[in-house]
Each structure stands twice: as C-alpha cells, then as structure tokens.
Amino acid sequence: MRAMVLDTPKQPLQARDVPKPKPGRGQLLVRVSSCAVCHTDLHVVDGELPNPKLPLILGHQIVGRVEEIGEQADSKFQIGDRVGIPWLGWTDGECFYCRSNRENLCDRARFTGYTIDGGYAEFAVADARFCFHLPEHYDDVDVAPLLCAGLIGYRSYRKTGDAHRLGIYGFGNAANLIAQIALYEGRELFVFTRPGDKATQLSAKKLGAIWTGGSDEQSPEKLDAAIIFASVGPLVPAALHALAKGGIVVCGGIHMSDIPSFPYVDLWGERMITSVANLTRRDAEEFLEIAPRVPVLTKTETFPLKEANTALEKFRSGELSATAVLTISDS
Ligand SMILES: [Zn+2]
Ligand SMILES: [Zn+2]
C-alpha cells in the first residue's frame, strides 16, 4: 500500500510502498478515506515528542471503512462501517489510571501516528475498542478534524467546568471547534490572538466572541477560565493574570515552550493551572454526540496523500486558513 513514512525526525516524509497491515486480535483493518493533519504531527516530525515509533506513519484523525475484522474484535463494527480512529490507540486497562477512569493517563498507553502507525496511508489497523462510529451529519473530510482538534479541545473545555466567561488563547483549529460548543452552551467568549492578528480576531468575532484582542492586551472583565491552545509558555502567566478568583487555566497542547515565572499573587485566590493529556473514550463518545447537535462546523482544505509534506509545511508556516485533510482512497 502507499504510505507517507517518517524515517527520522526533522526529515520530510517519504512516499513509499509498504506491506498492507493485517488486523491482529481485537483489531480492525480500515481502508483510510481521509486523515486530518494535527499540530502534534508537526511536533513529531520536529522531534519534539520523545521516542516515536520509527519508521512511522503519522496521522491520528483517521476516517475510513472497515475492510477486515480481526479475531475477537469488538462486535459493534461490521465490514463496510465507517469508523474514526483517534489519538488514543490502546491502553492496558489495568494500571492505577485505567482503573480510576483516567485511561488518558495510562502508564502504557499507545498513540496513533506516534507510537503506533497512523493514517497517512491507504490502510491502517486499529484496536476496535478505541474506534468510533461517526455522526452521519458529516462527510469523510468534514468529520476528520473532529477526531483530535475536536476531541482534545473538548476535554480542555470540560476542564473549565461551568465557567461563564471563557478566554481562549490561540484561535486555531481546536479553538474554532470548541468555541462553537461554548457559544451553544451560552458561555461568553474572549479570544486572544497573536498581537495584531486582526484577521483571526475578526473571524472569532464573526463566530460570536464577545471580545477579541492580542495576547498582550487585558480583557475588559476577569475570566472564569482560560484555555491555551498555542504552544507558547509565556501565555500561561498572561492567562493566569486575566483570571478571576477560583479560575482555571487549561493548557490544551501536547507541547509548550517554557513558562516564565510569575508573582504568587496571580495564583493566589485558588486559581489553578492544569494541562490536558490525550483523551478518554468517554470524551470521544460525549463529543461525537454533541458535535452534530450544535452543529460544530469544520473548515477544511484537502491535499492528496502524496502531498502530505506540503500540507505540513503550509500548516507550519501559517499559510492554512482551514484544517488540512489528506484524502486517500481516491488519491
Ligand atoms: Zn492503564
Ligand atoms: Zn492531534
């Protein structure tokens, strides 16, 4: 099968024919239709995440159809079913975290397109227990960004509890999707962009943000919560400073530059800082249930599989105004 393969970090992906994978016990073989590109893919390519599988097929927002079902695979799927394969690819089910409903923190978790092969390919195998049926409301391209930007964004959003005034720092793909849910649920949205990024501020306003500004600006009111989607450490003290008492800063990214020091008074008053790591299957079920009700709309720009490097470079340089989605079956 055709695949785009990462042999070594900091090198472009190589277009190659590799053996078609076989579904093992409990696994599905999925013919990939589309796979959205995530910021995490860039972190993996750049060597910013430790110990990836190498060589590696990237991609963890996979949409495809079940081609073959391995022995003892979850009976909720049949041949031909459309499935989504997200970042969380496998957990042991028995560690302290798994047994306390925190499988996202599993000591031995494996991740699609990072420690196991992903969807920048014609086929992928995945543990059926970690695959999902997808809402019919969406086509194969539109639904792909929901599988990471949507899911991990959703987990970040849920960490903000019932915060009424919600700040978002970094208005990219994840923010865009989560903002739609926040507005649907009646939150007031304050969006912080790169200083001077009027275009992004305008699109956040159009979506329904009550206030937009640069990350160097103060919001007119104190926030009950802030989610940081940009991988920029100095935003943490900035967001903390913007919080009302009891507020929370949620860092939604998998990688971030160092956080500068800040005065304790900014943390005082039971303010909190937390990160969000990965997702649980429950996050996915909840999000895929609410997304079509809002409905959360995605903006996508498609690239054929063989142009994965172009998609990654355009993402890196900020040339995309939508989520890049690789289209595979017909490329
Ligand atoms: Zn575990
Ligand atoms: Zn991702």
Side-chain angles (χ1 to χ4, degrees), residues 100-124:
S100 54
N101 294 319
R102 291 177 293 170
E103 64 181 0
N104 59 310
L105 301 177
C106 176
D107 284 331
R108 294 194 289 163
R110 294 179 201 153
F111 302 105
T112 312
Y114 173 34
T115 55
I116 48 184
D117 280 333
Y120 288 20
E122 288 178 292
F123 292 92

Side-chain angles (χ1 to χ4, degrees), residues 284-295:
E285 279 153 18
E286 281 183 21
F287 176 72
L288 293 171
E289 195 272 319
I290 193 172
R293 278 198 282 127
V294 174

Side-chain angles (χ1 to χ4, degrees), residues 157-205:
Y157 173 63
R158 280 288 164 246
K159 288 262 183 201
T160 67
D162 54 7
H164 184 63
R165 285 190 284 266
L166 175 66
I168 295 185
Y169 287 76
F171 204 69
N173 301 330
N176 209 288
L177 302 181
I178 269 9
Q180 296 175 52
I181 296 188
L183 292 165
Y184 172 77
E185 294 190 337
R187 316 298 169 98
E188 286 184 350
L189 207 60
F190 298 75
V191 171
F192 300 77
T193 68
R194 276 197 198 92
D197 185 354
K198 295 290 176 202
T200 305
Q201 291 171 18
L202 192 67
S203 77
K205 267 263 167 63

Side-chain angles (χ1 to χ4, degrees), residues 226-290:
I227 307 175
I228 302 178
F229 286 117
S231 54
V232 180
L235 292 177
V236 176
L240 194 58
H241 190 73
L243 290 184
K245 285 182 288 187
I248 185 168
V249 173
V250 180
C251 304
I254 191 168
H255 176 82
M256 191 181 251
S257 57
D258 286 353
I259 300 169
S261 69
F262 52 86
Y264 179 60
V265 67
D266 281 351
L267 186 63
W268 176 248
E270 301 198 346
R271 293 172 179 87
M272 286 169 279
I273 303 174
T274 187
S275 64
V276 156
N278 315 313
L279 68 139
T280 65
R281 283 172 279 182
R282 195 173 150 202
D283 297 326
E285 279 153 18
E286 281 183 21
F287 176 72
L288 293 171
E289 195 272 319
I290 193 172

Side-chain angles (χ1 to χ4, degrees), residues 38-41 60-61 87 148-149 152:
C38 175
H39 201 211
T40 300
D41 300 346
H60 57 269
Q61 309 186 74
W87 170 248
C148 184
I152 294 184

Side-chain angles (χ1 to χ4, degrees), residues 3 11 13 16 42 71 102 144 149 167 170 186 211 215 238 249 293:
Q11 299 285 327
L13 310 182
R16 267 216 298 276
L42 282 179
E71 246 179 85
R102 291 177 293 170
W211 178 90
S215 56
V249 173
R293 278 198 282 127

Side-chain angles (χ1 to χ4, degrees), residues 91-95 98 106-107:
T91 58
D92 60 13
E94 59 190 28
C95 73
C98 283
C106 176
D107 284 331

